[in-house]
Structures are given as structure tokens and as C-alpha cells.
Amino acid sequence: MNIHEYQAKRLFARYDIPIPGGDVATTPQEARQIAEKLGVPVVVKAQVLVGGRGKAGGIKLARNPDEAAARAEEILGMDIKGLTVEKVLVDEAADIQDELYLGVVLDRGNKRVILMGSSEGGVDIEEVAATSPEKIVRVTVEPLLGLREFQARQLAYGMGLDKGLVRQFVGIAQGLYRAFMENDASLAEINPLVVTGDGRLLAVDGKMNIDDSGLFRHPEIEAMRDTAEEDESERLAREAGLSYVDLDGEIGCMVNGAGLAMATMDIVKLYGGAPANFLDIGGGAKADKVAAALRIILSDPRVKAVLFNIFGGITRGDEVARGILEALSEIQTDVPMVVRLVGTRAEEGRQLLADAKMITAESLSDAAQKAVAAARGQLA
Amino acid sequence: MNIHEYQAKRLFARYDIPIPGGDVATTPQEARQIAEKLGVPVVVKAQVLVGGRGKAGGIKLARNPDEAAARAEEILGMDIKGLTVEKVLVDEAADIQDELYLGVVLDRGNKRVILMGSSEGGVDIEEVAATSPEKIVRVTVEPLLGLREFQARQLAYGMGLDKGLVRQFVGIAQGLYRAFMENDASLAEINPLVVTGDGRLLAVDGKMNIDDSGLFRHPEIEAMRDTAEEDESERLAREAGLSYVDLDGEIGCMVNGAGLAMATMDIVKLYGGAPANFLDIGGGAKADKVAAALRIILSDPRVKAVLFNIFGGITRGDEVARGILEALSEIQTDVPMVVRLVGTRAEEGRQLLADAKMITAESLSDAAQKAVAAARGQLA
Amino acid sequence: MSILVDKNTRLLVQGITGREGEFHTRQMIEYGTNVVAGVTPGRGGQEVAGVPVFDTVAEAVEKTGANASVIFVPARFAPDAILESAASGIPLVVCITEGIPALDMINVVTYLDEKGTYLVGPNCPGLITPGECKVGIIPGNIVMPGPVGIVSRSGTLTYEVIWALTARGIGQSTCVGIGGDPVNGLRFIEVLELFEKDPQTEQIVLIGEIGGTAEERAAEYIKANISKPVVAFVAGQTAPPGKRMGHAGAIISGGEGRAEDKIAAFEAAGVPVAEHPEQIADIIAEMRS
Amino acid sequence: MSILVDKNTRLLVQGITGREGEFHTRQMIEYGTNVVAGVTPGRGGQEVAGVPVFDTVAEAVEKTGANASVIFVPARFAPDAILESAASGIPLVVCITEGIPALDMINVVTYLDEKGTYLVGPNCPGLITPGECKVGIIPGNIVMPGPVGIVSRSGTLTYEVIWALTARGIGQSTCVGIGGDPVNGLRFIEVLELFEKDPQTEQIVLIGEIGGTAEERAAEYIKANISKPVVAFVAGQTAPPGKRMGHAGAIISGGEGRAEDKIAAFEAAGVPVAEHPEQIADIIAEMRS
């Protein structure tokens, strides 16, 4: 789960990381009031859970409260990569002398948490990694020891930080590490970490991703979830306990198992189609879950065909068939459907679906080709 | 540093360990009030930093507030192993069905923290270890992992605990472990951990020793120090930064280095004397520290001779000599003094002391023998 | 021969009294797995499917000589369960449980590495040596004994491949689902090493997916160390970056984890990459003919 | 020959700009120790006693090839300093600092054990190979090169013994003060093992004290593994139980740590135990005659 910049920074502040004064506005009037209270030039920043806000015009400077209101007016309601801006953060504009990068990430290959620092802040760290990898300094955290001060200093000196800033930096690095660990993050990032004209370090932008599996012990973070930012289908799927990702294609997919679901999407593409979604109903899904899944798929107007690929192990073919029938009993649809059922109670499932005007397939290749043809109106 | 039972239990309670209701009284009237408030039979317990209170008559049952006052009257002011009882703890009397032992200690040999549990509570665990070692169950905490739930369960099942009590026990074990770790303890002990008639676990007695080296980060524990319980000489020595332990003998010892100080005590004994104290002035002591040390030694009326054994490394012989002279300029004393100075600036030191009527010695054996003789009035 | 589990495996089931634990215990016994013990704290002394239940793993090991464990306990208790097995000296721990926080797993795998304990999973279907021993939830009716070793980050996708192989009359030595979590136990490399040493295994199937760099590392390792033919497949070519595709570990992020990079790495290592799951079986069949 | 330090030791001093650090750096240089670097964060680029100072140990090691470090930083920074040296690949770390919390040291020594880094101390005088290299604070003017290896939990008590040996014309191979803390690095056993292998060492002196069971373990080890003659001494026969005698580790508690038990253990292992420090030299002299 991702949280907004303002949420990440407020969380960082709880770990003694200095952030600019500021607050969130949902209207230009609120933006004006915040700017008035701050009494200094401000930056108005779109709060959307997607990268590239700056390039899209979602971050603007304002010298006074009137300008702040005007900039907020421009940004609120803006569409950034398909997401509507509902909130802006109005922050004190920092006196930026230098921009650094500091991030805590999970190094999956080495099964360790690492800290990365760079003197090249304010740009995408992946870009720095690609163009000047020597500008990125890394330290690996030993699970037994946690992040040690000497490691934070190694980062600081390695980044070529001014000696007078090292102590501040060490505090920030330790705070960011704690914020990462104590909130089950998979990413905690300050970019840029700014050196101000008067020699202070300031977290001007913040980003944090939380491990979904760890959310159960952080209800206060779960409460930060911005459902307005969430795709409607993805929200419904999450509530139904389904793993769902909305995509741009025309073939809806319902599969049991994440790897098989991806492989199903891929084979649709291989045969000339495009998947409309990733959808894993999980192991042992019952009819009601299957029905919910089908309703979500069919709610997408782009969907021109549905492909069911169920390899029964714990999941039973008859349960899946019942779920399909349940959903179809409520929804009127002309969308053609291709069903491939294999494994546990597949035969019973196929019999249940015999009257439902489904296209059946034996192999996955066969099913994918039929689904692509059906979406083109060449079948059914 | 040791803390009182009532302090240990209050600390345990902060880690969700159940303790009996109760409070501390310094007068019989207070004891009566506490018993009234509790409204049940109580136990009146002497709060002294020494073992064996029970056998000494320092723990008594009282069925009502009048009895509580009477028992407090008897216990307050009592002398237990040289310490005067200044406070009593008035606790609800528990309905004791069974007595267990639970302790967290540092296993020095293996450089690990271990938990020990036993179904034989209420008696000295060393006694259990000696008589029925199979009754003690141990688990070793991996530094990487901390105390894990499965380990607490292993203890519980190993102790033969009733299954219905295991969950409570696991919580108590984890609380005690955290109390140990978060307070830099060297020992945290519940003895007995009582099983009550209504199936609850209750920490009826508690003991905690704190690592002096860790005290700097626990000012709230440092504030628990009961200076009234402390030997006056030991308090003065602590304040002067000296390592001092009061003993029963007649030969005062001043030495630099802990090992050498012990060896000096031992050799005094070897030659028929008895050391009056352990005293390590530490490395590089200046004159004022030496003077403070000598004042403390001479304040002990049992002291019949003083032995200075200084092996100069960082410590300088002339500094030690100056400290001795400084102290002697203030104190009138007839106590004979034997000085052995070796190493850094020993010669200068000896010259400074030439006029001070000191007995000098070359070797440690020589010094010890002379000190023993001097204490017997056979020298000086 | 085979790897990790066989006729000599004496299996302990952690969470045996739970719904899933009991169901799969029966399935494993039915397949012929020697399930010697179950563990559920507080349920010691009971029996499930004829298997004695103990309160602690230590006691179960002592009384039954269990040498492998499989875990069916909820995510918040699973790290402790893994550690309990490892601390009790069990050399192979298989964790089926999904949804364990990644940061919890860091300490767990670090401890298991120090102990030299093998961990398969978490968030995996377990493993099966056809005709000998099933540990986990891979359907026993789709496998058959034979020469192909399978290692996979996926569950049902693996079944698909096994099915395709079996349909062509090609059996498997051992099928290992290493799981879809970002921080897990055995990775491709360790399992490849075991297959390389296993005399029964003649070809190896590696099923990867987007996320992380385990496939890239595996490709390098194969080039340097594996003499047996390997066929790879990578799921998620159509997955968008930044989105978690079901498995906690199946996400393209921080510029790493793309299917195309993984496929390129295999091709650079001379490992043929199938275009779809069933094609894996075709390639293996061709290799064997 | 000798153990742990010699002419090839390239020493780094952590906390070199502090009062103690600077003083002892000068003493060590004067003795002939090759002090190649100092480290104090924020003081990189300066010089102390002609020794270049760096901000981090990693940089100091890279620039100077330091292969041992000695620590003179205050107790609350010392664990970090030890870890910094170990993490930077230095194989021998000597920590003079007194007053480090015991629980901090548990994680530190666990990490160093995993890395295979030797730690001497903390709360120790360091070590000296007479005529070659002094690391720490043992006075250089009392030692002389020779055949006796010394290992001790104490500081000045060790000087006393060295002094007595030197006075009798008996030199030392290496003198190692392992320190008086309850949780420390090298123990008697590890140092005994090194002396056993060292051709220069002909006799070994072991100086123990009350607290813990290191002496009992050493006695067992000597009986089983040490062929060279060992003389022991145990300080604290007159110490009362439950009282800390200066050193954090010198306390009789929980029924363990008594001098009489330690002496009995040595005697049972056939190790002569001196009655007082000077007698150690007498016994060694007799052995050598």
C-alpha cells in the first residue's frame, strides 16, 4: 500500500526528521489560509499516488496567499496519469542550496534492509543508478545489529556531505530507518533531502510504501488508505479478498493462483489479445467469491470476452462453476466466455456449465486462442 | 545496583506482569491505612536489600488493619543482616495454590541471556539447582531473535504448568524478559510466581539487579537508589568515583586496579591479617581522589593499619603520594601506614612521603607482612 | 533418488488441528507421506487423522524423530512456528502460509541460514517427490515419477506444467515450489544445485515470475555450474510496473524485476525460455527424444 | 614468534583525538608500535602524533592497510566503535574502554564471532609482545622478550606478575589482558590455544579472578588440550559474595564465581595455583630451572 507524500512526511516527523511547515488543502480557500498562516512563500503540491507529478504540472510555487489559492485552483481536479487530484499539500518553500537522496529499501536478493544515499537528489534514483552509479552509496543493515551510527556516518561521508551536517544526517538516517522498520515499510524515501541556505537538512519530499502483509499491525496506516484514489474495481476486489489489477485490454481473466494468472495474461497477449485485468481468486475459492470476481470483470465496459482458467487443486471446479452461474443469474451480458477447467471436480464443473452457453477449452493455449477469437467476434 | 522488592514489582507491572495490590509504609499507621484500603488479609514485608528476610522474621501475615499495624510496628526498625528496616510493603495476601520460579539472567559463559523456570518456587533457586537440577528448565535467547513465544511455551510445558495457565505464563515471561532487557538488568526474578486458587498467576515477590554500566540510560532507576540502605563509606566512595566494598577486617587497603586490589586483600589474609575493605582507586587517579580514598579508609574505626599498594602505569606515584599527604594534613591519626610504590614516578612518590613516617616496602609480600605486623602493633 | 523429501521423510505438521492443517494432513497421508507428528500448543495428547499431537515441536521431535516439518498456521504465528522447528533441530521446514510480513522473514531466514536449516517458502505449495512423499498441497494425482526436476516461484502454474509433462508421459524427480514472497528460504540457485547433484534428475524446469532478481542470478548460476539442460519460463510479461501481481514478491519496482530482463538473462545463459507453460513440456519432450 | 600482535601489526587508534587516545598513542609509538591511522568522526584530515586521522574506519583501512585497532572512546560509543572496526574487516580489535553495558556486548560479541574477528576486552589493558608491539596501556618498561605467555582478566595485577618475572630475568612472549567484564571477547581458552601453538611460548601464566566460570572452563581445557606447563592465580579469595569487586565481572552470584571453586578446578587439572602474585614468578623460575 502506498501513502501520500503528506502522510509519509507526517510519519517521518514522528521520528524526528525535520519537514517543512505545511498542511493539506482540498479547496483553494484552504490553501490560501494555510499560506497565510505560514506567512512565507509556499509550494502547492498535488497529492496523488503516482510518480511524475512535477512534470505533469502538479507542483507549483506561490509567493503569497493569493497565488497559493490560484495555484491550488489550477492543481485541484487536475488529472495526473488517470488520477484526479483531490488534495494539495501547501508547504513552506525551502531555501534550497543542495538536494540529496536518502532511501531505505528491502534488498530482496540479499534478504537485507539497505540504506541508499546520494548527493544527486531531486531526481529519480533509478536514473542516478543508470547514469552515475558511483554517486549512490549503500550500507547493509545486519539484522542482529540494526542500523548503527557508524553506518549512517559512512553514508554521510560517502555522499560527500559537509562535516557540519553529518550529525544531523545521522539522526535523519536513523529516524528513517526506524520509520521503515516500525511500520513494515517496503520503501521509505526522502527525495530530495534538502540542504538549506542556513545549513539545515530538511525532508522536502517523502515517499513510503507499506508491506500489505504487515498492515494488520498498523491500523493507523490502514486508516490512511485513500479509497478515493483507488480504482473502483480494485477496491471491490480488495473487499472481496481477491487479488486484482486493472489493465487496459479487452479480455477479462479469472484464474486461480498468481503465477498462473500472469501466465494466462501473457498467453492472451501471445495470441494477439490484451488482458483486461490480473485476477487471482486464490486457493479454495467458494462460489460467492467467484461470483464477486465475475461481477467485477463484467463491470469493465472494455471487456469483450472473459477467460476462465482454473487448475483445480484445493479449488474445486464445481464451486467455480456455481459462482459463475450465480453471477450470471443477476447480470445480463452478451460477453462471450471461454472456460477451461482442469483438476479437482473439473468434470462436475463442466456439466454444471453445459447449459450456460460457454465456450469450453481443453488446454490453456486453446483457451487463450478461443478467448482472443471471441473478443474479435469470431466465435460464440 | 539492587532495587527493592516493591520497586521491582512496580516495574514488572509496567510490563503487564500481574502483581498483588499493595503499597509501601514507613509507619504502622500507614500500614494500617493500606490494609484498610485493600480490605483483605495482607502480608507485611520488610524492604531491605539483602536476602533471608523471611527467616529473620521480616515477613508477616496480618488478617486485619490492626494486625497490619502491629506487624509493621514489629518489622520497622528491625535489624536484618546489619541493615535497618525503614520501609515495609503491605500486599494483599495471595491465595496460594502453587509456587513457581521464573528468572531472567545473563549466562556469562555462553554470552547469552537465558530464562530459567522451575515448578519449585518459593525457595532459593540455587538450592533447587543443587538438590534437584532436573526441576530447572532453561531456554537461551538468541540475540537476533529475542525471546520467542515458542520458547516461553517450552518453559511452561517443561515446568509442567497446567495447560490453562500457559497463555498467561507466556505473557509474564515475555514481560519479564522485556523488563530485563529494557532496563539493563543483570537479574530479573519472580520467586514465587504464584498460582492462585482461582487459576491466576501472580508475581508475589520480585527481585531485580541492574548493571551499573547501563545505569546512565535509566535515570528513573538511578532515582530508585536507596541511599539510606547504603553503607556510608560505600556512598562516599561512589560519589568520589572509587570502587569500594566495606569488609570486616582491620587492614585498610588502597590499591590501583581491581584485580590487584583483590590480590592485595588475599595476601593480607595469607599472612594472617584481614582486609577492612576492597578499594580500587582506578587508573590515573589524581591526588584529590587518593585523599578521598584515604579519608574513607580512616573513617572506619576498625582499621588498625593501612596498606598502600600502587603499581604505577597510568597512575603516577607522585600523585598518589600527594593525595596521601593531603588527607593526612587534615586528619589526625595514629594508624600505621605501609606504602609500596612501584612503576611510574614511584621514586618521586617515595621521596615525597619520606617525612611522613610511613613504613615502606619493596615487594607486595613484604608490604602485606609489614601491614599485618603493624596492625598487631608489632611495627611502627 | 530425488531431492529434499523421499521415503525416509518423517513429517511433522505444525497447525495440524486447524482446518487447512487437518485437510492437507489427510491428503498427504493418503499420498503415502509418513506423517509422524502434529503440533498445536495446548492440544498435546490429542490425535488428528491418527497422528499424535504435541504441544511443542521439541517434544514431537524427541518422541517421533520427525526430520521435516510443514507449517499451516496463520501468518502472524508462522515466523515463530518456523523458528520453533529450526530451533528443535529439524533440517527441512516447509511453510505454506501466505501473508507473513517481509521484515519478519529477514530475521527468520538469517537464523535458519546460520543453523543450516533448509526453508521452503513461505507462501508456497510445498514440494513433492512423486511416488514417495508429498509435503504441502501440490495435487498428488497430477505427478508421476520420472527424470524432470521442477523449481518454481508459483503454485498452480507449476501444476499446469506438471500436468503437461505427465500428459506427455514425462515424470518428475521432485517438484519444489519455493514460493512467491520477497524474502524466502531456498531460492532457485540452491535448488538447482540439489538437482545438479541428484542422479535421477535429467532435465530441470525453472518457473520464474516478475519481481526481484532471483531469475537473473539463477541464469548466471546455470551458466557457471549446471551441466543438465534447463528450460525456463517467466510469468508476467504483460504485468505493469509498480503493481503487485498477487504474490507479495511479484512486483516490478526500483527498476528491477521485469520479465524481459529475466528472459534476456536466461537466453544469454543459453537457457531456452518457453513462450507459454505448455510449451515447457514440448521443449523437454524434444530434449529427451 | 608471539601471538596476536607483532612487528607486522599495523595499528589503528579509535578515539585518537581524545585525551587518553592521544596519550597512549604516543606511548605506543614510543614503544615501537606501528600506529598507521587514527579515527575520530569529523576530525578526518588532521594529524595526532604524526598519525593521520580519518572520519571512518573503512576509509582508514583502505588508505593505510591497518590490521588491528585499539579503542579509547567513551563507553556509550564503544560498542559502535568495535562494530565499525569489525565491519571494516579488521581481524583484531582491542577495546580498552571500561563501563560498557553487558547487554550491549552480547550483540557485539555475537557479531564478531560470526565475522571471525578477534576481540580483546573490553575493560582491559590490551596486550603487548615485548620488543615488538604494544597495543593498549600495559607499561612497556616492565616487560622483556622471553618464553612466558601471560593471559589475565586483570590489569595492574598482570603488571605485578610481569614485573616479578622480569625481575627474575624471565621474559614474556605475549601478555594479553582479556579484561574484567562479564561479556567480553577472547576468553582464557582461545588465548591458551594460541599460546599452545606459538613456538616461542614455553610456559603459560593464567591470572583469573572471582566471577563467572571462565577459570573452570579453562582448567578443563588445559587438562584436555594444553601440553605446555601452566601456572594459575585466582584473585578474590577474600571477596564476599554478591558484591562487585571493581570489575563488572568480578562478582560471586547465583552460586557461581567463587575463588575456591576455581582453584579446586585448576588443582584437579594438575595446574599449580600460586598463593600470591610474586609466587607465580617463583613457580615459573622453578619450572625453567
Side-chain angles (χ1 to χ4, degrees), chain D residues 4-5 9-13 65-70 90-94 135:
Chain D
L4 295 167
V5 295
T9 299
R10 300 175 62 79
L11 188 66
L12 179 158
V13 180
N67 59 16
S69 76
V70 63
I90 289 183
L92 171 68
V93 183
V94 181
V135 175

Side-chain angles (χ1 to χ4, degrees), chain B residues 76-256:
Chain B
L76 286 163
M78 185 184 266
D79 180 284
I80 300 181
K81 296 190 182 170
L83 293 172
T84 307
V85 180
E86 311 265 4
K87 294 184 190 124
V88 291
L89 174 62
V90 182
D91 257 4
E92 286 181 353
D95 167 19
I96 298 177
Q97 200 188 41
D98 204 356
E99 294 187 315
L100 315 171
Y101 171 91
L102 179 64
V104 186
V105 296
L106 178 61
D107 175 357
R108 294 169 52 162
N110 294 313
K111 307 177 185 183
R112 290 285 182 271
V113 172
I114 63 170
L115 272 80
M116 297 199 293
S118 176
S119 55
E120 305 286 292
V123 295
D124 194 338
I125 192 68
E126 292 167 36
E127 225 173 282
V128 181
T131 57
S132 18
E134 77 288 352
K135 290 273 174 65
I136 299 180
V137 194
R138 286 178 180 79
V139 293
T140 299
V141 178
E142 282 298 318
L144 171 67
L145 303 174
L147 177 70
R148 305 294 310 200
E149 261 188 47
F150 80 85
Q151 296 182 299
R153 285 198 304 267
Q154 265 175 8
L155 264 189
Y157 289 113
M159 289 162 64
L161 204 66
D162 198 83
K163 287 198 180 188
L165 295 170
V166 171
R167 192 182 297 259
Q168 274 184 69
F169 179 87
V170 167
I172 290 171
Q174 288 180 317
L176 194 66
Y177 172 72
R178 282 178 49 221
F180 180 95
M181 296 302 289
E182 293 178 11
N183 294 286
D184 274 296
S186 51
L187 171 76
E189 194 176 75
I190 304 174
N191 190 18
L193 174 64
V194 152
V195 182
T196 65
D198 55 350
R200 286 176 306 121
L201 291 173
L202 197 62
V204 158
D205 199 351
K207 189 173 171 187
M208 207 162 173
N209 298 346
I210 308 295
D211 177 2
D212 290 349
S213 299
L215 273 179
F216 72 90
R217 50 189 171 202
H218 307 291
E220 75 292 354
I221 292 181
E222 179 61 55
M224 290 180 194
R225 190 186 291 279
D226 190 343
T227 47
E229 283 263 318
E230 214 173 6
D231 179 276
E232 171 73 3
S233 304
E234 292 183 5
R235 187 180 61 75
L236 288 170
R238 184 169 52 75
E239 287 168 6
L242 297 162
S243 205
Y244 177 92
V245 176
D246 194 41
L247 299 171
D248 291 331
E250 75 287 354
I251 297 179
C253 301
M254 187 191 301
V255 190
N256 65 324

Side-chain angles (χ1 to χ4, degrees), chain D residues 238-260:
Chain D
T238 49
K243 291 279 188 179
R244 175 176 143 169
M245 307 302 276
H247 290 158
I251 181 165
I252 299 166
S253 70
E256 72 175 34
R258 278 183 293 262
E260 62 209 74

Side-chain angles (χ1 to χ4, degrees), chain A residues 108 217 256 266 340 364-365, chain C residues 102 104 156 160 236 238 249 278:
Chain A
R108 294 169 52 163
R217 49 190 171 202
N256 65 324
D266 293 349
R340 179 197 177 228
L364 175 51
S365 307
Chain C
D104 288 3
T156 45
E160 184 82 50
T238 50
E278 289 152 344

